[in-house]
Structure formats: C-alpha cells, structure tokens
C-alpha cells in the first residue's frame, strides 16, 4: 500500500485542528456558564437562569455584547503591543492543547492519528514551552496599557507565573521518570491495566505528592483563585487587563479559561490515565468521552476551590511557590528516582 | 523547484535576520525585546530543521520563557517613566562604532569565503531527541555538566547574598 | 456607524432583526460597575446576594474596571468632592453605557438639601433610570433594572442619526 496523498493528509490535519478549536471555544463558553451557576449554588443563590432555558444562552449574550462594544486604545499606549497582547495570550492558550491526546492513537485516517493534533518527540515539554510564551501576553498587556495598575498587575502576574513554572516542571518530571518517555500517548499507555485487579493503574496512585503539586502549580499558572492576585479587584482594580474592554478583554477571558482546560487536560493525561476508561478497547470512540468526563471533574474542582478559598496575599503566594512547592517537588523527584533505580521494572524506557 | 526544507529554512532565516534588524533600530526598549522574542522563536525553528528537537524546545522554555522575561522585568522596572533609551555623551561614539563593526563584518566575510567547509556527514535523525541528548550528556560529558551546575549554583548564591546584603544595608540606614 | 435603509423592506427587516439580536445580547449581559457610595450600596449588595440575586438576569459580573462595565449604578449621595471623580469614571466607560440613579440622594439630593451634596447625579451624567427609595429595597432596584432592560430593547444601534430622528417623529 503506497503512502497516502499529501493533500488528504493535510486536509485531515487541518480539519482536526479546526474541530479542536471549535470544541475548545464552546467548552470555554459553557465553562463560564458552569462557573456562574456553580458558584451561585455554592453561595445559596441561583445564578443566570433567565436567558434561555437554565440560562444556557448566557454565554451567547455575553459574546454579542462584548462584540459590539466600542473599540478603544488608551492615550499614550503602545498601539502595536496593545493589540498584540490579547492575541498572543489567546493563540498560546489554544496552541498548548495541540499535543494532548484525547483518544486512542490507533484510530487513524490516511495514517494520521485522529485523536491528537501532533505528537512531537518533546511531548510534555511543548506544553511548558507554549505556556512560557503565554506569559508575554500578560506582560505586554500590562505594560502597553500605560497605567500603573496594569503595570503592577503584569509584574506580579509574570513573577508568579515564572515561579510556579519550576514547581510544575519538577512535578511533571516524576511522571516522566515512571513512564520513561516525554511523549504523551506513551504516558497514557503506561497507565493501562490494573493494580490488584481492580484499581486502575493511574499515576495518581503512584505519585500522589506529584499530583498535589501539579494541581497547586496549575492553579497558580492559570491565575485562578486563590492565586488570582494579579486580577484582584480589591487591590489592583482589574490588574493587567484594567484598560482592556470589549473584544480584547474577551480574548484575555478566553485565554484564561482555555488555559484552565489545557491544565486540566495535562493533569488528566499525566495522572488520571487520559482517555482510558471501561470499554475503550472495544469502542475507541469512548476514549474522548472519558477524557471529557475527567476534564469536567477538574473544571468542577477548580470552580469549587474558587468558591471556597480566600485569596492569598502576594508575599504568601511567592513563599508557597519557592519555599514549599520547589522543595517538595525535589523531594518527590528524589524518592521517585531512588525507587526507579532499585526496582527498574517500575520505571520505563531504556 | 526548492524543496519544502529549503523554503522553511529561508523563511526562518529571513525572520531571524529581519527581527534582529528591527530589534536594534527601535526607540522603545519594549519593542526591541519583543523583536528579540521573534528572533529566538526563529532560531528554535532553525534548530528543529537541524533535527535538534530537544534543544529547540529548551531554547523556548529557557531563553524565551525565562531569561527574556527577566530582561523585560528590568526594562519595566527601570524605564517605567519614559520607556525610551538613554542619551550618552561619549565623543565620536557613532563613527568609531561604525568603523569597528565594518572591520569585524569584513573580516568575517573574508574568513567565510576563504574556508573550504566541505560536506559534513549526516548525523542520524534521532540524534536530537531527549533520550539521545540525555545519554550523551550523562555519559561522555558528565564532567562539564557538573561544572556548569556548580557555576549556576555560584550565581544563585551570589544573587541571594547580594539581595540580602542590600536589604540589611538599607535597614541599617533606617535605624 | 449607521445605516439608512431607504425604506427597502428586505433591508429594513434584516436590519431590524440584527438590531433585536444586538439589543437582546446587550440587555441580558449587562455588567454593572461597582459604584456604591453610601447606604444604598448595602441594598445593592443585598440585591446581588442570596435572597434577591441580580445574577439571574446575567448581571453578576460586577467588574471593578470601568473599561469592562456597561452600567453604572450610582448608589448613594454624591458629594461635591466626588462629582468630578464620578464624571471621570463615567467618561472612561466604553460605549454603550447606561446609568441607574439608585435612591433619593442620587436622583435629587434626597434628605441632603445643602451645599455639600450634588442635588441629583443627573446634573453631571445622563441618567437612564431613576430608582426611588431611601434606600430602595432590592425588589425596587430589580424593577428598575428590568425597566432598563426594556429601555435597551427599544434602542436602534444600527441606524444612522437621520433615520433615528425620523423614527422619533413618527
């Protein structure tokens, strides 16, 4: 059988990317709805319920309103950077999702795996690289607005993000040691099978400390409460997006929620077995379904934390990042390395 | 008809040089920093073309994602009033600089033109993967690796000591 | 921007349909600007919390930045010192924007008939809805909010000024 025509392969890749973008945008819209309804329930209120059945048209109304707002640039702002910042934030948020597998890799069309956009050798490092570029969206947004609140918010946010990148990276290395590879489909495959016959072989049972550290680090990386000091209202008006309104503000909004979805995707893939679940071998289409269920569980968890915990002060935030997360992650790494050395069958790869 | 490889190479090479030129001709340091970011990303693309995947990703994570962010911190904290560069009063600075850079440029062109580079043997295509880089680093180059770590540790300790000493100095002045 | 449909029925119907859509979006996703100045602020907070729940109308995103909000609820008395600040913030809000004067003090000066309080906030910003009461109960404010939604629904965001004048004279 000859190699498939290059146009067909290109068409499949482009179609995959488009489908994922559309799904992510819809997921963002309904995550805002879910957040507002859930937080209202946590606060014994009801939440949006007038705009369509159960308030389901609320994201559409928000979107229409933001779209038709006045387009505006603050006086003295750096125009190029002002327009670039929300675009950069949004693009990197979507790009980071490109390496996450949401279904079994053997479902292919013209030789192109359908359930993952791309599988580079560097795997999980790609997500780290793209989120590092995402920091620029925040820095440029804060700087180019020519306003002191924005600048302070941007400085705080970027310091927070680069500090927690360390903790997240080190927590991920534990999983990489166990799997022996950086590539995400392989990491998911290593989590198939069962311990003791009934407990799925997910990394969360083998690396509980790493999971906890990744969760805390991911909350800080995506600027979610309780680590949302850069956007806090009481301290910084609205942080780095103080001077952004209308569609540009919507772009930052999209970037934040898509980052949360990507972080949930990474945590699912690394610790909860990704797309695996009952009956996936017989019906590969169930793979994405289990993946969505797990992402939904993480989204619920992030919203729950938002409704429950008070905001952390900035110096406490940096303390937690450097004095708690990094040493614990190093400890986790040391223990994992020792165990993998003593029992090489537990670790993977050569 | 150029191959796809060549087209991509020329695209990344052109972007790297163009953003380098943009970087040194901007008035505002922030715009120079963003042009520098584009240069780093083009370099990462060129590394990918050379099958050095691990180095490409590390270039983005470390250089573009951490070092350049710290450079931006410095710019934001120190130029927050004007956002523009400083004026210097060294006499004859511009003519001397132009002369020296022309000499350097001419020398490099001469060297490149008069050397016979030959064609290198093509390394295996998986040479740049994380596994191979890791093996080589911890196998043949373990000593330089450890020495580099100690160098970085020295830098870290020095930074902490300097910061702490400044704080103690200022608090001593306050009392 | 503004459109002049020249009486063309197809164009008029399309433009009216689009206007209805835009008005629906704007009326159901109003983001208020936290501008609680005095006692009415307590009632505004009560409106946003459990028993009365402004969030049902989609208005729970009370943003702190004027650039991101549509509606300024002036809740409380506006002193002479606060007047310029209020005008400044109103100017910073992006079009389209609306103002609700909540309570007697912001509508007409209320009990404070003296030199220190601005006798009605409509002397400095254009007000769309006045909510009476000292302080107005949350049901009152919700009624005012619903009146504002009705007002937004009657807007013509896509028409030119000439056509708007003609429509007003009809």
């Amino acid at each position: 059988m000859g190699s498939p025509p290059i146009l067909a392969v290109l068409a499949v890749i482009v179609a995959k990317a488009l489908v994922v973008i559309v799904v992510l945008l819809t997921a963002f819209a309904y995550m805002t709805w879910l957040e507002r309804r859930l937080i209202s329930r946590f606060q014994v209120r009801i939440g949006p319920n007038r705009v369509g059945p159960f308030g389901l048209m609320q994201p559409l109304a928000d979107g229409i309103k933001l779209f038709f707002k006045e387009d505006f640039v603050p006086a003295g702002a750096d125009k190029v950077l002002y327009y670039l910042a929300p675009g950069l934030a949004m693009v990197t948020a979507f790009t980071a999702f490109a390496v996450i597998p949401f279904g079994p890799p053997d479902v292919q069309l013209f030789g192109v795996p359908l359930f993952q956009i791309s599988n580079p050798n560097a795997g999980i490092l790609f997500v780290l690289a793209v989120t590092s570029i995402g920091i620029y969206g925040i820095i440029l947004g804060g700087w180019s607005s020519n306003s002191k609140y924005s600048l302070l918010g941007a400085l705080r946010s970027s310091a927070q993000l680069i500090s927690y990148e360390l903790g997240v990276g080190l927590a991920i290395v534990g999983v990489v040691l166990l799997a022996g590879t950086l590539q995400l489909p392989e990491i998911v495959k290593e989590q198939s099978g069962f311990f003791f016959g009934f407990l799925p072989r997910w990394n969360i049972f083998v690396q509980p400390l790493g999971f906890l550290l990744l969760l805390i680090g991911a909350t800080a990386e995506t600027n979610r409460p309780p680590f949302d000091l850069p956007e806090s209202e009481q301290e910084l008006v609205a942080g780095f997006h103080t001077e952004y309104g209308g569609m540009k503000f919507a772009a930052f909004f999209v970037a934040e929620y898509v980052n949360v979805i990507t972080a949930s995707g990474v945590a699912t893939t690394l610790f909860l077995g990704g797309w695996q679940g009952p009956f996936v071998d017989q019906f590969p289409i169930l793979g994405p379904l289990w993946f969505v269920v797990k992402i939904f569980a993480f989204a619920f968890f992030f919203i729950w934390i938002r409704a429950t915990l008070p905001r952390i002060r900035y110096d406490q935030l940096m303390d937690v990042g450097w004095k708690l997360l990094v040493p614990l992650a190093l400890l986790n790494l040391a223990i994992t390395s020792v165990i993998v050395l003593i029992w090489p069958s537990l670790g993977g790869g050569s | 008809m150029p191959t796809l490889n060549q087209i991509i190479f020329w695209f990344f090479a052109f972007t790297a040089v163009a953003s380098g030129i943009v970087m040194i001709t901007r008035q505002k340091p922030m715009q120079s920093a963003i042009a520098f970011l584009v240069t780093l990303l083009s370099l990462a693309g060129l590394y990918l073309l050379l099958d050095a995947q691990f180095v490409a990703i590390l270039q983005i994570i470390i250089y573009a994602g951490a070092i350049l962010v710290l450079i931006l911190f410095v710019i934001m904290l120190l130029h927050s009033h004007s956002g523009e560069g400083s004026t210097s009063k060294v006499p004859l600075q511009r003519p001397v600089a132009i002369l020296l850079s022309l000499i350097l440029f001419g020398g490099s062109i001469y060297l490149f033109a008069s050397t016979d580079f030959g064609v290198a043997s093509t390394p295996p295509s998986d040479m740049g993967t994380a596994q191979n880089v890791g093996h080589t680093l911890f196998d043949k180059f373990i000593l330089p690796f450890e020495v580099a770590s100690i160098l970085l540790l020295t830098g870290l300790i020095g930074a902490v000591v300097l910061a702490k000493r400044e704080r103690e100095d200022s608090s001593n002045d306050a009392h | 921007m503004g459109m002049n449909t020249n009486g063309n029925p197809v164009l008029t119907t399309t433009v009216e349909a689009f206007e209805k859509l835009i008005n629906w979006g704007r009326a159901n996703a109003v983001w208020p600007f936290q501008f609680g100045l005095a006692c009415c602020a307590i009632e505004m907070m009560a409106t946003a919390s459990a028993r009365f729940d402004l969030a049902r109308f989609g208005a729970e995103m009370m943003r702190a930045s004027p650039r991101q909000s549509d509606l300024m609820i002036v809740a409380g008395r506006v002193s002479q010192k606060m007047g310029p600040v209020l005008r400044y913030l109103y100017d910073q809000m992006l079009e389209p924007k609306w103002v609700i004067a909540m309570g007697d003090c912001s509508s007409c000066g209320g009990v404070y008939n003296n030199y220190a309080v601005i006798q009605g906030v409509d002397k400095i910003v254009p007000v769309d809805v006045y909510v009476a009461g000292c302080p107005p109960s949350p049901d009152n404010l919700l009624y005012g909010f619903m009146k504002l939604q009705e007002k937004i629904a009657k807007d013509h965001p896509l028409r030119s000024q000439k056509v708007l004048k003609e429509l007003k004279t009809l």
Side-chain angles (χ1 to χ4, degrees), chain C residues 39-40 43 76 101-111 130-137 140-141:
Chain C
C39 2
C40 281
E43 292 295 336
M102 176 183 177
D104 291 341
C105 295
S106 47
S107 307
C108 62
V111 280
Y130 297 86
V131 178
C134 187
S137 69
N140 216 338
L141 181 61

Side-chain angles (χ1 to χ4, degrees), chain A:
Chain A
M1 185 168 129
S3 70
I6 186 144
L7 270 180
V9 169
L10 269 177
V12 171
I13 296 179
V14 170
K16 249 195 314 186
L18 280 175
V19 166
V20 166
I21 290 181
V22 167
V23 168
L24 277 179
L25 278 174
T26 319
F28 146 74
Y30 284 95
M31 191 168 160
T32 57
W33 172 85
L34 185 71
E35 174 159 20
R36 288 160 78 159
R37 293 290 305 221
L38 274 179
I39 291 188
S40 304
R41 280 291 172 191
F42 281 121
Q43 296 174 347
V44 199
R45 298 186 280 131
I46 303 183
N49 68 349
R50 295 199 159 212
V51 196
F54 294 108
L56 282 172
M57 304 289 272
Q58 181 70 50
L60 185 61
D62 280 335
I64 292 179
K65 182 208 80 159
L66 284 170
F67 192 74
F68 285 100
K69 268 288 207 186
E70 173 192 351
D71 183 34
F72 161 83
V73 177
D78 190 336
K79 266 205 169 137
V80 171
L81 297 180
Y82 188 76
Y83 279 101
L84 183 64
L88 195 58
M90 206 163 131
V91 163
T92 53
F94 281 98
T95 311
F97 202 80
V99 294
I100 298 185
F102 41 91
D106 37 345
V107 175
Q108 297 183 353
L109 187 63
F110 296 120
V112 178
L114 275 184
F115 288 134
Q116 184 183 20
I117 297 187
S118 153
N119 188 14
N121 174 266
I124 187 66
L125 287 184
F126 181 81
V127 178
L128 284 180
V130 172
T131 46
S132 316
I133 305 284
I135 298 180
Y136 286 95
I138 295 179
I139 295 183
L140 293 179
W143 166 262
S144 61
S145 306
N146 198 25
S147 145
K148 48 182 173 290
Y149 298 113
S150 307
L151 187 61
L152 276 176
L155 281 174
R156 281 192 184 179
S157 182
S158 40
Q160 172 186 331
L161 289 180
I162 57 178
S163 312
Y164 281 84
E165 255 175 24
L166 255 183
V168 166
L170 285 173
I172 290 178
V173 173
V175 172
V176 170
L177 267 181
L178 284 181
T181 170
L182 285 168
Q183 295 183 302
L184 288 170
E186 312 295 319
I187 297 183
V188 172
K189 240 191 194 93
E190 296 279 331
Q191 299 180 58
S192 51
F194 294 91
F195 291 129
F196 315 123
F198 70 95
L199 202 62
R201 207 189 180 86
W202 292 346
N203 280 333
I204 183 176
F205 301 115
V206 206
Q207 286 262 298
L209 183 60
F211 177 66
L212 210 56
L213 294 172
L214 179 68
L215 219 54
I216 299 177
T219 318
E221 281 284 315
T222 50
N223 276 336
R224 287 289 292 182
F227 299 102
D228 69 335
L229 206 63
E231 311 174 337
S232 62
E233 288 154 7
Q234 288 76 10
E235 311 218 350
L236 286 173
V237 188
F240 62 92
H241 51 68
T242 306
E243 299 287 341
Y244 280 94
M247 223 38 202
K248 302 193 209 67
F249 170 69
F252 275 123
F253 214 44
V254 171
E256 175 172 335
Y257 283 89
V258 171
N259 269 331
V260 171
I261 296 177
T262 307
S264 312
V266 167
T268 308
T269 310
L270 293 178
F271 287 97
L272 282 188
W275 42 261
Q276 298 192 345
F279 305 120
V280 161
D281 300 320
Q282 290 93 329
F283 302 106
I285 194 70
L286 282 182
L289 180 67
W290 294 123
F291 187 74
V292 166
V293 167
K294 294 175 193 175
I295 295 238
F296 177 76
F298 271 108
F300 182 85
F301 178 73
F302 278 125
I303 296 176
W304 191 5
I305 295 265
R306 175 180 189 153
T308 317
L309 294 177
R311 188 175 292 132
I312 295 192
R313 213 174 57 216
Y314 190 64
D315 57 326
Q316 291 171 335
L317 194 153
M318 296 303 269
D319 276 352
V320 164
W322 287 100
K323 295 189 199 166
L324 187 67
L325 241 57
V326 172
L328 278 182
L330 284 173
L331 182 69
N332 181 33
L333 184 59
I335 296 180
T336 313
S337 324
V338 163
I339 293 184
V340 167
L341 258 180
I342 301 183
W343 291 285
S345 60
L346 284 180
S350 45

